[in-house]
């Protein structure tokens, strides 16, 4: 129930601080829970652990209703409000209100009996965060007035604390997955890749014939897309060695999928070495070239490697990432 409690608290915080609600239907909080957990599950493929039903519920919700995995938070929330009007969706998500609204109050009210919890919360026993009210078969949460100013003034600290707790919980269950903190919320805007594009433009201007490793199409200066070879949704970084110029038609088909490692990785390694040599010769992009250090070698070493050692260097870095991403459910792709 660990993730439930964090997402439950975040839902209450958002509904109060952002929408001014001090009395909220439990389904409103549950919709917020699903919306907040949407990207870690569908976009970043993080495991919540075998005992967590929220993960499977969100995957099922996405597949059965064909909801885009990268849908905006506001659009997703609006859609969920419509979906929960359907009995089958309510049945699918009903488990979220069976335990966490009651268990969340245990630090204040020491009972595992749900009816007793509802009754004792009415007086805000021990200053508990909220009281539970059942009306016409619907469960409501009413915030304790004594907490309102505190929640408002400390929203940033409290939400950061909740995400910190989620990070620790999920890191244990995803020990080999990089950059967990940046996978709790999908960024609406990604970093500019202007420096990385400049690296390849310098190589092309220096006489390098750059072809898309997927389509074999010749690429001209400034007329290419930069593709994250291992999807950004897994690596969550823009390090140069994972980026490759590609035909603009590739992004829509490759998207969030894993390329065939044996088919495309040697081509990527050779192209990077050739581009790296030109940038080194011209003394360009010196700071950016430090990205190659995470391959375990200096840029100069990589530029001087024979093909066998070069490809092996790239395999040693990419193979573990590829296998972990595959185990997490990332689909395979080949042009």
């Amino acid at each position: 129930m660990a993730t439930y409690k964090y997402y439950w608290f975040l839902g209450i915080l958002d509904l109060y601080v952002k929408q001014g609600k001090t009395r909220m239907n439990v389904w409103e909080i549950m919709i917020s829970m699903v919306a907040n957990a949407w990207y870690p599950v569908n976009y970043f493929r993080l495991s919540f652990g075998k005992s967590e039903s929220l993960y499977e519920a969100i995957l099922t919700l996405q597949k059965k209703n064909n909801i885009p995995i990268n849908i905006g938070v506001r659009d997703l929330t609006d859609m969920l409000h419509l979906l929960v009007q359907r009995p089958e969706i309510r049945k699918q998500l009903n488990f979220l209100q069976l335990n966490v609204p009651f268990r969340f109050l245990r630090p204040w009210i020491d009972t595992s009996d749900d009816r007793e919890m509802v009754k004792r919360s009415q007086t805000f026993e021990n200053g508990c965060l909220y009281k539970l009210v059942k009306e016409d078969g619907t469960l409501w949460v009413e915030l304790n007035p004594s907490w309102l100013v505190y929640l408002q003034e400390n929203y940033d600290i409290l939400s950061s604390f909740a995400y910190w707790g989620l990070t620790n919980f999920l890191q244990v269950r995803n020990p080999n997955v990089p950059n967990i903190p940046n996978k709790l919320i999908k960024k609406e805007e990604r970093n500019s890749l202007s420096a990385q594009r400049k690296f390849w433009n310098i190589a092309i201007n220096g006489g390098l014939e750059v072809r898309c490793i997927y389509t074999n199409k010749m690429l001209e200066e400034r007329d290419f897309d930069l593709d994250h070879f291992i999807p950004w949704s897994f690596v969550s970084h823009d390090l140069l060695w994972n980026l490759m110029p590609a035909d603009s038609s590739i992004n829509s088909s490759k998207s969030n999928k894993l390329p065939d490692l044996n088919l495309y990785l040697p081509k990527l390694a050779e192209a990077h070495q050739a581009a790296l040599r030109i940038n080194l010769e011209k003394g360009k992009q010196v700071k950016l070239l430090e990205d190659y250090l995470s391959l375990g070698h200096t840029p100069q070493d990589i530029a001087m490697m024979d093909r066998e050692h070069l490809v092996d260097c790239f395999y040693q870095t990419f193979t573990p990432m590829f296998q972990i991403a595959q185990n997490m459910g990332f689909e395979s792709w080949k042009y």
Side-chain angles (χ1 to χ4, degrees):
M1 271 184 52
T3 55
Y4 296 179
K5 290 179 180 178
Y6 290 121
Y7 283 123
W8 174 260
F9 182 53
L10 287 167
I12 290 174
L13 275 177
D14 286 347
L15 287 168
Y16 168 57
V17 177
K18 295 182 178 179
Q19 299 185 35
K21 295 185 177 183
T22 59
R23 187 176 191 269
M24 50 199 78
N25 187 311
V26 164
W27 281 99
E28 293 180 288
I29 305 173
M30 288 158 57
I31 286 171
S32 181
M33 291 173 69
V34 172
N36 281 326
W38 185 265
Y39 297 108
V41 171
N42 282 310
Y43 191 82
F44 296 116
R45 298 286 180 173
L46 296 180
S47 171
F48 281 18
K50 292 183 179 179
S51 61
E52 293 263 2
S53 302
L54 181 59
Y55 181 90
E56 291 299 329
I58 290 175
L59 282 181
T60 302
L61 193 67
Q62 188 273 323
K63 290 177 181 177
K64 287 191 174 181
N65 297 280
N66 296 315
I67 305 172
I69 63 171
N70 60 344
I71 186 174
V73 175
R74 184 175 297 177
D75 290 339
L76 175 60
T77 302
D78 290 343
M79 182 177 290
L80 290 172
H81 275 286
L82 294 174
L83 287 173
V84 297
Q85 303 305 314
R86 290 159 44 184
E88 69 273 19
I89 301 297
R90 286 202 166 224
K91 183 178 180 181
Q92 180 186 341
L93 297 178
N94 192 59
F95 71 93
L96 289 171
Q97 67 172 318
L98 296 181
N99 292 304
V100 68
F102 311 95
R103 301 295 176 266
F104 191 86
L105 293 178
R106 281 291 296 275
W108 294 280
I109 305 173
D110 188 16
T111 179
S112 58
D113 184 283
D114 292 349
R115 290 185 179 181
E116 186 180 350
M117 182 67 76
V118 172
K119 181 180 178 180
R120 292 169 62 179
S121 72
Q122 301 309 301
T123 60
F124 297 118
E125 183 174 319
N126 293 319
C128 61
L129 181 63
Y130 56 78
K131 67 178 178 180
L132 293 165
V133 180
K134 285 192 174 182
E135 293 180 359
D136 299 323
T138 299
L139 190 63
W140 293 79
V141 165
E142 293 187 19
L143 293 179
N144 186 339
S146 64
W147 278 92
L148 299 183
V149 173
Y150 179 84
L151 295 177
Q152 188 80 46
E153 292 181 347
N154 295 282
Y155 171 80
D156 290 339
I157 295 173
L158 293 169
S159 57
S160 296
F161 173 78
Y163 281 116
W164 174 76
L166 270 172
T167 298
N168 291 331
F169 179 85
L170 293 173
Q171 189 67 75
V172 172
R173 286 150 185 80
N174 300 269
N176 298 311
V177 177
N179 210 0
I180 293 287
N182 285 332
K183 292 181 175 179
L184 298 183
I185 303 173
K186 178 179 175 289
K187 292 183 178 180
E188 296 302 322
E189 293 185 11
R190 298 260 288 274
N191 296 329
S192 167
L193 299 177
S194 57
Q196 293 88 338
R197 291 188 65 87
K198 183 178 179 182
F199 169 86
W200 288 102
N201 284 328
I202 289 170
I204 293 171
N205 280 331
L208 180 64
E209 183 180 283
V210 177
R211 291 182 177 273
C212 174
I213 61 174
Y214 309 115
T215 67
N216 202 40
K217 177 183 176 181
M218 180 79 75
L219 302 174
E220 304 294 334
E221 181 186 0
R222 299 185 181 87
D223 185 25
F224 58 82
D225 287 342
L226 275 181
D227 171 64
H228 287 77
F229 188 75
I230 301 293
W232 182 90
S233 55
F234 175 78
V235 297
S236 292
H237 65 61
D238 299 315
L239 293 176
L240 185 59
W241 47 264
N242 189 50
L243 291 166
M244 186 67 201
D247 185 342
S248 58
S249 66
I250 289 300
N251 274 343
S252 58
S253 60
K254 180 172 178 284
S255 184
N256 209 35
K257 299 181 180 68
L258 294 166
D260 186 308
L261 209 60
N262 293 325
L263 182 60
Y264 300 120
L265 189 60
K267 297 178 182 179
L268 178 139
E270 292 171 354
H272 268 275
Q273 184 184 56
L276 177 58
R277 285 172 175 169
I278 293 174
N279 275 266
L280 284 171
E281 289 171 3
K282 295 181 177 295
K284 301 291 187 179
Q285 302 282 78
V286 175
K287 182 67 176 175
L288 180 65
L289 300 188
E290 292 179 1
D291 283 3
Y292 288 105
L293 292 172
S294 52
L295 296 179
H297 299 275
T298 67
Q300 291 77 10
D301 288 340
I302 293 172
M304 296 297 294
M305 285 180 181
D306 59 43
R307 186 182 184 279
E308 180 181 354
H309 286 92
L310 172 72
V311 174
D312 182 62
C313 167
F314 273 73
Y315 266 114
Q316 286 183 21
T317 297
F318 280 86
T319 301
M321 293 192 299
F322 185 90
Q323 291 175 341
I324 294 167
Q326 202 169 42
N327 291 339
M328 291 171 65
F330 283 83
E331 297 178 6
S332 299
W333 175 88
K334 183 168 66 175
Y335 181 74

